[in-house]
Amino acid sequence: MSFENNKILVNFQGAAGNQFGLPIYTTMIPFNTLDKFFKVFPNVQRKVNKSRVKSIANYIIKGAESKKLCFLSAITVTCKGDIEYNDEKNLIGIDINTVFSINDGQHRAEGIKLALETSRKDLEKALTESEKKYAKEKYDYISNMTIPVVIFSGIDEIGEQQLFHDLNLLAAKPNKSIALRFDSTDLYNRLAKKISKTNDFLQLYGVETEKTQLKSSSSELMVLSTLRNMISYIISGSEKDKFETLNMDNFDDYLNSANDIFDELFGSLPEDCTNRDKYIIGTAATLQGIGKYIYDIINDADIIDWKSYIRGLKNIDWKHENSIWQNAGGSYIESKKKFVFTGTSAGINGVAKVLKEFNRPV
């Protein structure tokens, strides 16, 4: 902190530049100081989505608890006051009464505040010394984090609105498969990527890691997001594992068992199962429905040799025109010569239901 021209300046280490003729600065702001400077003005921002804020806060807290790699991108703001930059010391001097208007990143900012508030409450609720120590370490860990901030200066309200538009509407969001390809925070995604690279059958049939869906002529069996969901169904019985059945302690065990399951499964399916014109297998609904069915037989107390039921799938007629699929949440379209699901969720439950009814152990 310094005093210049009768103003109290808060100094941040940073860099200065320009973009389209406007001064621009970059710095790092500690999590625990965001509330002092940052403000959202409704006329240049959308309404905050509380569920999204909670998701970001949970992401931060889980990252702090596990100490795994987690990242938040820079917040972009416009400065409502003067900025003084020291070239020699690379210091950005900001009046202590200055307000930053958030143009991009309000949900990140609110998520950070909620994570701090939640971890502070956890510290206050802690009873034993070990609980207090753990809660204090987590709170301090989050408090001392920083987030990159890009600061624009000399922009009026119309300029802020344009900035919001350009940052939010011109950015290209990666599709789900590409996002999953680079995401290691989701354990099911991490497991799916490992299996796709190590399982002989999946290497043979192929897992597409960039597209969100496959054409009938595609040679790959499924996209990465389908494999991820299929594994989640096998392990937890649903696409979202609410009870965190899969965790770091049992990750390797589930990796091995999932590999064994896929060996049994694809050893029991037709060798040309990637032929979507012939079979219903190569659809997201069918593959996830098979995953749900496998979960059901594994967790059925009356079934001891569940692998015999997987092997029994070799006797299922997977062709589109097979009448058993009429109860699988869709219908056979004569003009297309294909069975079409009314929706993915209906198809998942329908396939699992049909397999329960018609599949027999061998």
Side-chain angles (χ1 to χ4, degrees), residues 38 62 117 146 151 180 188 243 272:
F38 289 12
K62 292 294 184 184
E117 181 184 350
T146 58
I151 306 169
L180 289 177
Y188 283 102
F243 301 103
D272 57 342

Side-chain angles (χ1 to χ4, degrees), residues 29-186:
I29 300 287
F31 277 13
N32 55 16
T33 64
L34 289 183
D35 213 19
K36 296 178 183 178
F37 295 104
F38 289 12
K39 185 176 180 180
V40 173
F41 292 87
N43 53 337
V44 294
Q45 261 292 355
R46 62 188 141 192
K47 187 176 180 181
V48 70
N49 183 323
K50 292 183 179 180
S51 64
R52 189 175 172 196
V53 169
K54 289 181 179 179
S55 295
I56 293 173
N58 186 57
Y59 172 78
I60 294 169
I61 292 170
K62 292 294 184 184
E65 291 173 345
S66 64
K67 300 294 193 298
K68 63 186 177 183
L69 287 176
C70 298
F71 302 95
L72 293 174
S73 59
I75 294 175
T76 301
V77 300
T78 49
C79 182
K80 293 293 188 180
D82 295 329
I83 294 179
E84 297 183 15
Y85 184 70
N86 187 318
D87 282 303
E88 293 182 359
K89 297 181 179 180
N90 294 327
L91 287 178
I92 301 171
I94 301 167
D95 191 304
I96 196 168
N97 295 313
T98 288
V99 172
F100 290 121
S101 171
I102 298 178
N103 301 107
D104 181 60
Q106 70 162 331
H107 290 96
R108 270 162 276 161
E110 292 301 319
I112 288 169
K113 292 184 216 175
L114 181 57
L116 281 169
E117 181 184 350
T118 302
S119 59
R120 179 181 56 78
K121 288 180 179 178
D122 289 343
L123 177 57
E124 293 172 352
K125 294 176 184 176
L127 299 176
T128 66
E129 287 303 315
S130 60
E131 287 177 347
K132 290 178 181 178
K133 181 181 178 183
Y134 176 74
K136 180 71 164 56
E137 288 176 351
K138 183 172 67 174
Y139 177 73
D140 290 343
Y141 185 79
I142 296 174
S143 296
N144 293 324
M145 288 186 193
T146 58
I147 188 165
V149 178
V150 178
I151 306 169
F152 282 89
S153 181
I155 299 179
D156 58 16
E157 184 175 302
I158 293 176
E160 285 191 74
Q161 291 171 346
Q162 187 65 44
L163 180 58
F164 172 82
H165 170 274
D166 292 354
L167 291 173
N168 288 275
L169 300 184
L170 299 183
K173 184 178 179 180
N175 66 49
K176 187 174 181 181
S177 284
I178 290 179
L180 289 177
R181 177 183 173 187
F182 294 103
D183 177 27
S184 296
T185 60
D186 184 328

